[in-house]
Amino acid sequence: MIEARDLTKDYGSKRAVDGLSFTVRPGIVTGFLGPNGSGKSTTMRLILGLDAPTRGDVTVNGSDYREHAAPLHEVGALLEARSVHTGRSAHNHLLALAQTHGIPKRRVSELIDLVGLHEVARKRSGKFSLGMGQRLGIAQALLGDPKTVMLDEPVNGLDPEGIHWMRNLLKGLAAEGRTVFVSSHLMSEMALTADHLIVIGRGKLIADTSVDDFVSRASQKVVVVRSPELESLRAALAGPDVSFEPAERGALEVHGLTAEQVGDAAAAAGIVLHELTPRQASLEEAFMNLTRDEVEFAAELQEVVA
Amino acid sequence: MSAATPSVRLPRLDRTGSVAFRRVLLSEWTKLRSVRSTKWSLGVGFLLTVAFPIAFSFATSSHWGSMSPQDRADRQPLDIALVGVNVAQLAIAVLGVLLISAEYSTGSIRSTFTAVPKRLLVLWAKLIDYSVVSLALMVPAVLVSFFSSQAILGRHDILQISFTQPGVARAVLGGALYVMLVGIFALAIGAIVRNTAGGIAAFAGIFFVLPPLMFVLPTSWNNAISQYLPSDAGRQLFSLHHASHSLRPLTGGLVFAAYCVAAIVIAAVLLVRRDV
């Protein structure tokens, strides 16, 4: 369980996180979504007590992260930026962290095997590929068998097999009753993994909703029809919430009606249809629509500054 | 990692413990021993401490015949025995800075403070581990340099001093103590500056640049001020003869230790306050 109340962080005159309040619940995967630079990583650093909030506060499993007697058992975190000494082996890196909590050495080997780093565990981690670095970060996050797992862009640098593995892992962790909080800038990835979404843009909360709600709200009703009698069809479909746009190859895009409604109306009017295709706005489009204002504002601002 | 695996299960951890200082000490020890820079710096530190006195002893011994009486009288056997300390301190200082600055440059400090959010435990553990290691390295190093240089100079009675002579044991072991304090001071600077190049530059500035600058001052000012510089005060720990305008060994050592404490206090305050 992660609870943020009015969480705010300024770096100099720049406000990176702006009055965020949200709750991340156990037992489900919560996606933390936002464009790059929207404050996701900063929020995660605030949760871990690495940065101090300018205003507001955040607790993990009921108390300030710094107050936990055994933080690695409370939260396992993978941060976006590399957080391993490049001259140290994966094994020694994990061992040093395990030792702070008296976690036995065999747990280190167990996690190294789990993430598939067995063969390179004794090599300097500076030579790791991005994907290997991510796996080491995941081993680190899971080292203390934590109640809450918080991962910043965990699929970055993973191959398709690794991404699949990651999805299963996250779902499994949530099914065990853990709190799972995963950031991403990719809506499509979140749609496959997450149950709940917290969306931010420029440090502000944009949406706190279930993935299903987000998807249904985001998918506008658009139907593409082709017919030799387009003019009659227009007349038959016309209504206050309905609008039309010409589409490719003489087709017509109908906004505001479902495919069923269009088909029924055409049949009732005796109009022949050659095509009737419901079109859903992709999740990526929905996400872009939702965050567009924030991103555009940032782009304009950059132009002004430049 | 197999794509065919339907679900990935995290093995449970049967026994769980809390963060404790002795555990952080062990963790920091693991970190210290598991990077190459430790082996290099400590190896070089030991080698320089021992090699310089041996080389200087051979040089003195072989030139003895052609040296003037004045020149011979100026030879201080203890200075020869401990000449390496002046060089070894740089290796120990560089490692001291690196022990903390490398955590910032690589980002591992985030892992460290996530595991141990009570950050001062990490600072105390680093200081204690490094003090023990540098002292354990330097005590044998100064003993080897003293006895080997004395053995090489054995033909010249005037250059023989006994370990039991007043002040000699104190000066020899003081050399090791001095280097340990240098390591502590450098580690604190590393924690303040959080940057390897900056930390080493700050150390070099205080220890190697500041003292000669004092000679620009009127002599009376120089004499009054220089004795209180960290390097001059600390050096009294391993000097047998003391000028009128330098501190006694105990006072000098305490002054240098006070500088270390001050640096540690600043480092501790900043460590708690600053974002990582």
Side-chain angles (χ1 to χ4, degrees):
Chain A
M1 179 90 104
I2 302 170
E3 291 165 282
R5 281 172 296 265
D6 193 29
L7 198 58
T8 302
K9 179 65 180 177
D10 295 340
Y11 293 109
S13 61
K14 190 184 179 296
R15 180 151 290 187
V17 173
D18 193 353
L20 278 188
S21 296
F22 60 81
T23 301
V24 183
R25 289 177 188 79
I28 55 170
V29 178
T30 301
F32 191 30
L33 200 59
N36 285 328
S38 56
K40 302 189 296 292
S41 298
T42 302
T43 304
M44 288 187 161
R45 281 203 304 276
L46 292 169
I47 291 170
L48 294 173
L50 291 174
D51 287 12
T54 306
R55 199 179 69 219
D57 66 282
V58 58
T59 60
V60 190
N61 306 337
S63 57
D64 189 312
Y65 183 82
R66 294 202 202 190
E67 299 306 318
H68 283 294
L72 290 186
H73 299 316
E74 301 295 335
V75 185
L78 164 73
L79 293 173
E80 187 178 19
R82 280 278 176 100
S83 42
V84 182
H85 193 300
T86 43
R88 194 171 285 127
S89 71
H91 177 269
N92 283 327
H93 173 71
L94 293 177
L95 179 63
L97 293 171
Q99 283 169 336
T100 61
H101 284 60
I103 296 170
K105 206 172 189 173
R106 67 184 135 75
R107 175 73 175 177
V108 170
S109 313
E110 201 170 63
L111 265 298
I112 284 174
D113 289 345
L114 181 81
V115 301
L117 284 179
H118 187 73
E119 270 143 50
V120 292
R122 303 278 175 174
K123 295 212 169 84
R124 286 154 50 96
S125 65
K127 308 210 173 209
F128 279 15
S129 68
L130 184 58
M132 285 152 82
Q134 286 295 91
R135 288 170 191 229
L136 173 55
I138 289 153
Q140 177 179 338
L142 302 178
L143 191 62
D145 197 9
K147 297 188 191 82
T148 294
V149 179
M150 186 168 79
L151 309 174
D152 199 0
E153 304 272 358
V155 301
N156 258 6
L158 292 184
D159 53 21
E161 195 185 326
I163 291 173
H164 183 78
W165 179 87
M166 174 65 66
R167 279 182 206 141
N168 283 329
L169 176 74
L170 295 178
K171 286 177 179 169
L173 291 170
E176 288 170 351
R178 298 177 212 258
T179 303
V180 182
F181 191 42
V182 189
S183 85
S184 177
H185 62 282
L186 296 174
M187 178 64 216
S188 50
E189 181 52 39
M190 288 292 97
L192 288 168
T193 316
D195 307 293
H196 195 87
L197 284 180
I198 291 168
V199 185
I200 66 169
R202 288 184 56 241
K204 286 190 178 137
L205 188 69
I206 296 179
D208 184 347
T209 170
S210 75
V211 172
D212 291 343
D213 279 356
F214 182 82
V215 169
S216 61
R217 200 174 52 176
S219 341
Q220 297 156 347
K221 285 182 269 186
V222 178
V223 182
V224 177
V225 285
R226 286 202 298 129
S227 166
E229 304 164 72
L230 271 186
E231 284 316 306
S232 323
L233 186 63
R234 270 173 185 265
L237 296 177
D241 298 326
V242 183
S243 62
F244 304 98
E245 267 177 43
E248 305 166 354
R249 296 188 294 127
L252 184 71
E253 236 178 49
V254 183
H255 292 252
L257 291 172
T258 64
E260 291 81 357
Q261 289 170 318
V262 173
D264 291 350
I271 298 167
V272 175
L273 295 185
H274 290 170
E275 181 184 345
L276 178 62
T277 313
R279 179 183 290 173
Q280 277 205 330
S282 76
L283 286 170
E284 219 60 58
E285 282 174 77
F287 171 51
M288 303 260 274
N289 283 338
L290 201 57
T291 57
R292 183 191 293 139
D293 296 343
E294 312 296 340
V295 176
E296 267 179 8
F297 184 79
E300 277 168 24
L301 202 68
Q302 267 188 344
E303 274 170 34
V304 171
V305 172
Chain B
M1 279 194 191
S2 163
T5 315
S7 72
V8 189
R9 299 282 298 186
L10 172 63
R12 299 310 298 241
L13 187 60
D14 40 8
R15 199 167 54 82
T16 62
S18 307
V19 175
F21 184 57
R22 65 192 154 79
R23 289 177 168 159
V24 181
L25 272 177
L26 180 63
S27 165
E28 287 301 328
W29 165 243
T30 299
K31 286 191 199 167
L32 183 60
R33 67 172 174 76
S34 62
V35 288
R36 284 184 193 172
S37 49
T38 301
K39 287 154 198 162
W40 277 106
S41 302
L42 296 182
V44 166
F46 187 91
L47 211 66
L48 292 178
T49 310
V50 175
F52 273 88
I54 290 176
F56 282 27
S57 301
F58 274 123
T60 306
S61 191
S62 64
H63 282 77
W64 195 254
S66 57
M67 279 162 77
S68 68
Q70 179 62 45
D71 213 2
R72 290 181 180 180
D74 280 349
R75 298 300 101 191
Q76 299 293 339
L78 196 72
D79 288 350
I80 295 175
L82 296 177
V83 66
V85 168
N86 294 297
V87 196
Q89 64 172 335
L90 188 59
I92 298 300
V94 167
L95 183 58
V97 169
L98 267 177
L99 285 180
I100 186 111
S101 67
E103 290 230 24
Y104 284 95
S105 64
T106 60
S108 65
I109 195 74
R110 286 187 285 267
S111 299
T112 300
F113 286 158
T114 305
V116 186
K118 296 194 168 61
R119 300 176 187 175
L120 290 181
L121 292 183
V122 174
L123 181 62
W124 307 149
K126 280 186 194 293
L127 286 168
I128 290 174
D129 279 344
Y130 194 43
S131 303
V132 170
V133 167
S134 55
L135 199 62
L137 177 88
M138 289 306 294
V139 167
V142 289
L143 289 176
V144 168
S145 3
F146 177 78
F147 288 109
S148 57
S149 61
Q150 279 294 295
I152 295 163
L153 298 170
R155 292 191 288 125
H156 318 291
D157 287 345
I158 190 176
L159 294 179
Q160 289 299 297
I161 44 170
S162 162
F163 194 66
T164 51
Q165 213 171 302
V168 172
R170 186 269 305 155
V172 171
L173 296 174
L177 190 66
Y178 169 77
V179 174
M180 182 196 85
L181 288 171
V182 164
I184 290 176
F185 189 76
L187 206 157
I189 287 181
I192 294 167
V193 179
R194 303 198 291 185
N195 171 290
T196 306
I200 293 171
F203 175 83
I206 294 168
F207 275 72
F208 303 122
V209 180
L210 205 53
L213 283 186
M214 291 296 141
F215 285 96
V216 180
L217 297 172
T219 307
S220 61
W221 290 28
N222 179 14
N223 288 345
I225 296 171
S226 282
Q227 57 183 329
Y228 294 106
L229 291 180
S231 48
D232 285 42
R235 184 166 297 122
Q236 304 314 316
L237 282 170
F238 62 99
S239 304
L240 198 52
H241 305 288
H242 304 276
S244 58
H245 50 79
S246 41
L247 301 172
R248 301 299 99 193
L250 181 62
T251 325
L254 288 175
V255 167
F256 187 31
Y259 277 108
C260 293
V261 170
I264 291 168
V265 168
I266 296 169
V269 169
L270 292 175
L271 202 67
V272 172
R273 285 199 182 170
R274 288 195 288 211
D275 289 343
V276 180

